[in-house]
Amino acid sequence: MDDKDYGQEDARGHWAPDRPISYGPAFDWPPDPKRLVKWLFGFPGYFLPWNVFYAAMALVLWTWFSPGLETTKTLAPGWIAYLLVRNLILAVLVYGAWHLWLYSWKRQGTQFKYNRQFPKEKAPGFLFGNQTYDNMFHTLASGVPIWTAYEVLLLWAYANGWAPVVTFAESPVWFVAVFFLVPLIHEVGFYFCHRLLHFSPLYEIAHKLHHRNINPGPWSGLSMHPIEHLIYFSTILLFFLIPSHPVHMINLASRLGVSPAQGHTGFDRVVLGEEASFEASYYAHYLHHKYFEVNYADGMVPLDRWFGSFHDGTPEAHEAMKARRQRRST
């Protein structure tokens, strides 16, 4: 499998896919039922692989690795510490797996890598003089504890009647539907939180730390200032309003916690063999790290298109971005 069959390098040696970035057909008008069904049930599509994967992960975490609501009714160090350790292990496993395969072992070299350079081992602008160690520190010392704190708050709220609870037995259709609303909640929440973080004072105080990762790797995904972590994970608070089950909240929380690894691999695809590969990254988000002012979200809801910040990777989109810059400067 040769990445030259799927994209091309620019003058600086950066690789880009031939296909323009596009949204799924969920919001196309007029609707195209045939394309919508293919997108919903195809591979890759809306359900497979990633949304089903994160839903299944939430079921496993809730069923076997979470305290029950009878336990979480009272805040206690034991179950809170258990959740923190669980999330630390999950983060190390997920971020570590992506990093080992693509960056430590370099199993596919620079094939399908957007920026052909790997992060430098000595990087003075980062803690410990190393981008990866810096990213790991911010992820594990700030990101995972704040992620856990939001989970603790919601589990306590469910147990005490402060957040509306539904069960499969009481409302099976809504119970299943919420699993597939979670990706939409995730995406819309991320977009508005992200736009807020690009507001100048917040950017300088907090979000600038994340954007030091111009050439991101998996550990860059959750490498943020604590203020940004508080804002980023705040979407979980919507479950104070949305009738749901703790497993739905864990679905959203764990997606927010570990999906940034996938979104920051810096690789378009992971190659598993001569003909086998799967999508590893979001080119839209890589362009956000490259240009800062485009693609504040990526996925199925065309928020960037609606709000005029979309860059689909084509020369025409690049010219439109430069024109917007010129209008702002004048």
Side-chain angles (χ1 to χ4, degrees), residues 57 61 85-95 147 254 258:
M57 183 172 70
L61 290 173
V85 171
R86 184 202 73 181
N87 290 342
L88 283 167
I89 292 170
L90 182 61
V92 169
L93 288 175
V94 174
Y95 287 87
W147 156 20
S254 57
V258 300

Side-chain angles (χ1 to χ4, degrees), residues 26 58 200 233 247 302:
S200 183
F233 283 107
V247 72

Side-chain angles (χ1 to χ4, degrees), residues 163-238:
V165 179
V166 296
T167 65
F168 181 79
E170 294 168 343
S171 186
V173 174
W174 179 249
F175 186 94
V176 173
V178 176
F179 270 114
F180 300 104
L181 289 175
V182 164
L184 292 170
I185 295 167
H186 177 194
E187 187 174 335
V188 174
F190 175 64
Y191 177 84
F192 287 105
C193 288
H194 198 178
R195 289 305 297 255
L196 175 64
L197 285 159
H198 275 262
F199 176 58
S200 183
L202 272 175
Y203 182 87
E204 291 299 322
I205 293 168
H207 194 46
K208 190 175 182 179
L209 185 149
H210 180 70
H211 266 288
R212 292 180 304 171
N213 297 287
I214 296 171
N215 185 13
W219 283 102
S220 305
L222 203 61
S223 178
M224 304 172 185
H225 190 282
I227 292 173
E228 179 167 0
H229 283 133
L230 285 169
I231 295 170
Y232 172 73
F233 283 107
S234 66
T235 307
I236 296 169
L237 298 176
L238 289 173

Side-chain angles (χ1 to χ4, degrees), residues 20-96:
I21 298 163
S22 63
Y23 297 101
F27 291 87
D28 282 357
W29 193 262
D32 184 339
K34 184 177 179 180
R35 184 166 174 253
L36 180 61
V37 170
K38 184 178 178 181
W39 173 74
L40 284 172
F41 299 103
F43 187 96
Y46 177 70
F47 293 113
L48 294 169
W50 297 112
N51 286 335
V52 167
F53 171 80
Y54 287 119
M57 183 172 70
L59 284 166
V60 169
L61 290 173
W62 169 247
T63 304
W64 289 292
F65 299 102
S66 298
L69 294 185
E70 67 280 359
T71 300
T72 66
K73 194 165 187 176
T74 302
L75 294 173
W79 68 267
I80 294 171
Y82 172 80
L83 282 180
L84 177 61
V85 171
R86 184 202 73 181
N87 290 342
L88 283 167
I89 292 170
L90 182 61
V92 169
L93 288 175
V94 174
Y95 287 87

Side-chain angles (χ1 to χ4, degrees), residues 99 103 113 115 117-139 209-224 264-266 286 289:
H99 184 84
Y103 285 81
K113 193 172 189 305
N115 184 332
Q117 300 295 318
F118 285 92
K120 294 182 174 68
E121 289 192 10
K122 293 184 178 180
F126 292 92
L127 282 177
F128 318 112
N130 182 290
Q131 179 176 334
T132 300
Y133 295 162
D134 172 285
N135 290 173
M136 291 177 69
F137 173 79
H138 290 291
T139 296
L209 185 149
H210 180 70
H211 266 288
R212 292 180 304 171
N213 297 287
I214 296 171
N215 185 13
W219 283 102
S220 305
L222 203 61
S223 178
M224 304 172 185
H264 290 77
T265 61
Y286 172 77
H289 274 263

Side-chain angles (χ1 to χ4, degrees), residues 2-3 45 55 67-68 72 86 111 183 186 196 200 239 287 292 327:
D2 190 339
D3 61 16
T72 66
R86 184 202 73 181
Q111 195 175 18
H186 177 194
L196 175 64
S200 183
F239 286 113
L287 291 176
F292 289 51
R327 285 196 297 272

